[in-house]
Structures are given as structure tokens and as C-alpha cells.
Amino acid sequence: MSPSPVAPPPPSPERLRQLRRVALSGLLGTAVEFYDFLVYGTVAALVFGELFFPGADPAVGTIAAFGTFAAGYVARPVGGVVFGHFGDRLGRKSMLLLTMGLMGGASFLIGLLPTYGTVGVWAPVLLIALRVVQGVAIGGEWGGATLMVVEHAGERRRGLWSSFTQMGAPLGSLLSTVVVTLVVALPRDEFVAWGWRVPFLLSVVLLGVGLFVRLKVVESPLFTEVKKERGEARLPVLEVLRHPRPVLLACCVGIGAFTAQSLLTSYLIAYATGIGYARPQVLTALTVSACVALVVLPCASALSDRVGRRPVVLAGAVASAVLAFPVLALVDSGSPGLLILAVVLGHGVAQSTMYGPLGALLTEMFGTRVRYTGASLGYQGATLIGAGFSPMIAGGLVAGSGSGTPVALLLCGGAVVTALTVWRVRETSRTSLADPAEQPAAPHAEETPADLPVLPGTRTADGR
């Protein structure tokens, strides 16, 4: 009879302090990320069409504004490759300091931009350029922040600890919504003249706090150990793409969460105000939903530690698909109360259930030597497909059809992609981060390179 597995010992007090600090760093980094992106999405829906794309039909102006929104997302995979490369070779901490600085700095500069009426065509050109810088920085932020938390957490409760990074999304949404709610209360002329700049300029506060915390974080112990014993990967992106299946699965499994996040936050403002809701009513719904998400995310992530990542993500995807058309019907009802219920169900509950375990799941799908690059590419590919173009596609389809049905179809389609992909991903919650990909070479190492990511859907050398 084989002995029962022994649970790993709890972390030492010093390591626990570092883990808490790293978790706070991840929370603040993701909060800055989503604050900056959601502030842009909100202001783009409210005023960027007339400030940076004047003379166009209002619908075309909104689509053009969301086109710059997509430009930021297109740059994300580039950032994932660049910062993933140096993060896997030089270390996680230095890259995270750089990404946060670029991200917050670009947002601050957007708040200082001259408009089309002042500098003409240079205004949208500068806006898109800053969005690209922001997107590149954000492309390297999430992967590094998440894997730092997961690698510090060891084998115990990785899902729960990784949820702090995921909670930065609703926290950033909450902060952006509160700030935008205050500035849209200004008279319309004042909001257009200067009020829209305030949320961007305030991002420097989050940036300062985040950098202060991040400077006190120590390097990932797993990265330090691997670099000392085996050396870093020469070209992490090539090692990841040599066997692209894990990246493709990681990308597809996140599409549902990001489609829902984008359509039920940024695009919802343009859609709901277009059918008669007052802006404060929409922003109130987003605020309530963000508060609910702050509770659902850690609960879903902790549950994934107990029952596995796959069942929890699948449950969220099924709920999102089932609720897509009811959520649209609630939004179309014209009732502020039902609008709140719609956003809470679709975003606060269903989307958060899908999104919560993703941090741990995507991190666990790759070996330490290529983890930054692999997790970043999977995550940013999902944001590009699921969130980057969804508002623009939805805006075009709704403007052409005069119906909100395309929004529900996009929500449902993204959730179905996630649900189908989950079946192809192996369960990773019980996989050691010091997996066989990081162990000393086996006798047949030339046939199974030790630095390759562990392939989802396959068994590891120890039978898991």
C-alpha cells in the first residue's frame, strides 16, 4: 500500500510576508492596467468621437474612437513577446517596474493631449501612438504580475493567491467608474473642455503607489533557482512557438471572459446611453457589478483550488452563454434596476467565474523558463480576439441592424469558444510548478527537451 501524499508545509513567516507583498503588487498593477484601459474606453464612448474625429457621422466617430481602443489591444501581444523575453531571461521584477511605469505614464500623457481643434490630424495620431505604448506595456504586465504571485505561492492555494491579480480588473473598473461618474456630472461644456482629462491625470496616483509597493518585492524564487541551476532560455518565444498548442489553448480558453468583460463594460456605456439610459445610471450599474466581482473572483479562484480550474471556468462559460440573451433583454427593458441586474449577472457573476481561475491556469500551463512569455502570449491573444475588437464589431453590427442582437450573439459565441476549449485543457491545479519540464534531464532528454512547456491535454512523466 503506497503512503498517502504529504501536504506541503505552510510558508515561513518571511515568505508569507513576501507573498502578501507580491499579491498586493499584482493587485495594484492590474488595477492600473484596467483603470487606464477602462477610463479610455469610457471616455471614448462619451466624447472622443467629437474631440479627435470631428466631422464624422456620430456612429462612425464612435467606431473610429473604438478603433484606437483596438490599437492598444493589437500592441498587447507585442508587449507579451518583448517583456516575456526579458522577463524569462533577466527576471520578473525589473520588467514589472518598467511595464507599470510605461503604462501609467502613457495614461497620464493622454490627459495632456491637444485635441483635433488645436493640432489637427496630429491629435488622433498622438492618441493612437500613446495607446500603442500603453498596449505594449500592458502586454507584459499581467503575465509577469500573475506568475510572480503563483511562483511565490508555491503548491498551496495558488488559485486563491492569483485571484489578487485578477481582482485588479474590477478594482480598476470600480475606480475608473467612480472617477468618470464624478466628471460626467460636470456641465457638458466643461466636461468636453477639460473634465475628460481628469481621470487620465489621476492615474499618476495609482502609478506612484504601485511602484512604491513593487520596489519592495523580491524576485521569483522559482526563476532564481532555475536560472542558477540551468540558465535562462535563449529565445523563449521560439521555444514556446515550437510547440504552439499550449499557447493556442491558453488564448482560446480566455476569449469568453474578455468578450464579456469588454461588451459589458466599455461598449455597454455607448449602447445603453444610445437607447435612452442616462450616463449616471449606466455607471451605477458598472459600479455595483464591480463590487460583486470583487467577491466572486476570490471565491471562484479558491473553489478552483479544491475542485480544479476546468470545472469552474466551464461553469462560468456555460452561465455566460445561457445568460447572453436574457442579459440583453434586461438591458433593452429601459429599467435602471434591470440594467443593474443584467450587468451583475453577465459581468459580476458569469464573467468573473470564468476569469477568476485564469491566472493560475495559464501560469501552470508553462515551464518556468518560458512561463512569462507563454502565459503572456496566451492571455494577450485572448484579449486581442475577445476584447480588442468586440466593441468595434458590436458597434458596426448594431448601427447596421438597428438591433442589439449582435451583442448577445458575440457574448454567447465567446462563451462557447471557452467552453469547448476547456475540454481540451488538462487539469493543472495539482501540477507542481517544478514540473518535469524543470527537472534534471531524463535519459531520453534529447527526445523530450526539458525546457519545453508542459502540453495541456497530455500526461506528465509522473502520470499526472
Side-chain angles (χ1 to χ4, degrees), residues 28-46 48 65-79 99-100 102-108 110 127-142 168-177 180 199-200 203 206 258 261-263 265-267 269 286 355 379-380 382-391:
L28 292 174
T30 313
V32 171
E33 169 188 343
F34 275 83
Y35 175 87
D36 290 342
F37 256 63
L38 293 175
V39 159
Y40 180 91
T42 303
V43 176
L46 296 178
F48 271 13
F66 278 120
T68 62
F69 185 77
Y73 277 108
V74 171
R76 283 180 164 212
V78 176
T99 57
M100 180 174 279
L102 288 174
M103 191 165 51
S107 182
F108 180 78
I110 288 176
L127 177 64
I128 293 175
L130 288 174
R131 288 294 291 167
V132 170
V133 171
Q134 204 176 50
V136 170
I138 290 174
E141 166 64 29
W142 180 91
L171 179 60
S173 174
L174 180 61
L175 292 173
S176 67
T177 301
V180 172
F200 294 102
S203 66
L206 275 176
F258 289 109
Q261 185 271 325
S262 184
L263 292 178
T265 54
S266 299
Y267 179 72
I269 297 173
L286 294 177
Y355 184 65
Y379 183 91
Q380 302 307 338
T383 64
L384 173 62
I385 299 170
F389 295 104
S390 293

Side-chain angles (χ1 to χ4, degrees), residues 76-292:
R76 283 180 164 212
V78 176
V81 172
V82 172
F83 289 104
H85 173 85
F86 291 104
D88 281 327
R89 287 183 57 84
L90 304 179
R92 290 44 164 134
K93 178 180 176 179
S94 57
M95 293 303 104
L96 289 176
L97 288 170
L98 182 56
T99 57
M100 180 174 279
L102 288 174
M103 191 165 51
S107 182
F108 180 78
L109 290 176
I110 288 176
L112 299 177
L113 276 181
T115 62
Y116 188 95
T118 304
V119 296
V121 72
W122 283 105
V125 169
L126 291 172
L127 177 64
I128 293 175
L130 288 174
R131 288 294 291 167
V132 170
V133 171
Q134 204 176 50
V136 170
I138 290 174
E141 166 64 29
W142 180 91
T146 301
L147 67 88
M148 275 282 278
V149 176
V150 174
E151 289 180 349
H152 273 84
E155 306 303 319
R156 295 166 58 91
R157 298 186 294 177
R158 293 194 301 247
L160 177 60
W161 282 107
S162 71
S163 71
F164 282 87
T165 303
Q166 306 298 77
M167 287 166 64
L171 179 60
S173 174
L174 180 61
L175 292 173
S176 67
T177 301
V178 169
V179 172
V180 172
T181 299
L182 294 176
V183 296
V184 298
L186 293 168
R188 175 67 180 176
D189 291 344
E190 293 186 29
F191 176 71
V192 173
W194 59 267
W196 67 270
R197 300 180 183 274
V198 174
F200 294 102
L201 298 177
L202 287 179
S203 66
V204 74
V205 178
L206 275 176
L207 174 62
V209 175
L211 287 176
F212 175 78
V213 174
R214 195 155 278 182
L215 282 168
K216 296 180 176 294
V217 169
V218 299
E219 184 57 87
S220 160
L222 279 178
F223 172 80
T224 302
E225 181 180 350
V226 167
K227 184 175 182 180
K228 180 173 63 176
E229 294 184 356
R230 298 184 54 211
E232 69 278 358
R234 290 184 178 180
L235 289 172
V237 66
L238 293 184
E239 296 187 20
V240 170
L241 296 180
R242 189 182 303 152
H243 291 264
R245 186 168 181 263
V247 174
L248 294 176
L249 289 174
C251 173
C252 291
V253 81
I255 284 176
F258 289 109
T259 300
Q261 185 271 325
S262 184
L263 292 178
L264 295 176
T265 54
S266 299
Y267 179 72
L268 181 72
I269 297 173
Y271 178 79
T273 54
I275 62 174
Y277 287 97
R279 292 190 187 102
Q281 293 172 333
V282 183
L283 296 176
T284 297
L286 294 177
T287 301
V288 175
S289 174
C291 292
V292 172

Side-chain angles (χ1 to χ4, degrees), residues 155 158 304 308-310 357 360-366 425-433 454-457 464:
E155 306 303 319
R158 293 194 301 247
S304 77
R309 318 291 184 219
R310 296 170 71 242
L361 174 60
L362 269 59
T363 302
E364 293 161 349
M365 289 171 67
F366 300 91
V425 176
R426 73 179 175 93
E427 182 55 61
T428 61
S429 60
R430 300 294 182 265
T431 301
S432 172
L433 290 181
V454 177
L455 295 181
R464 286 191 294 249

Side-chain angles (χ1 to χ4, degrees), residues 17-37:
R17 280 194 293 271
Q18 280 296 329
L19 178 55
R20 290 170 177 165
R21 191 172 293 164
V22 170
L24 178 60
S25 167
L27 173 68
L28 292 174
T30 313
V32 171
E33 169 188 343
F34 275 83
Y35 175 87
D36 290 342
F37 256 63

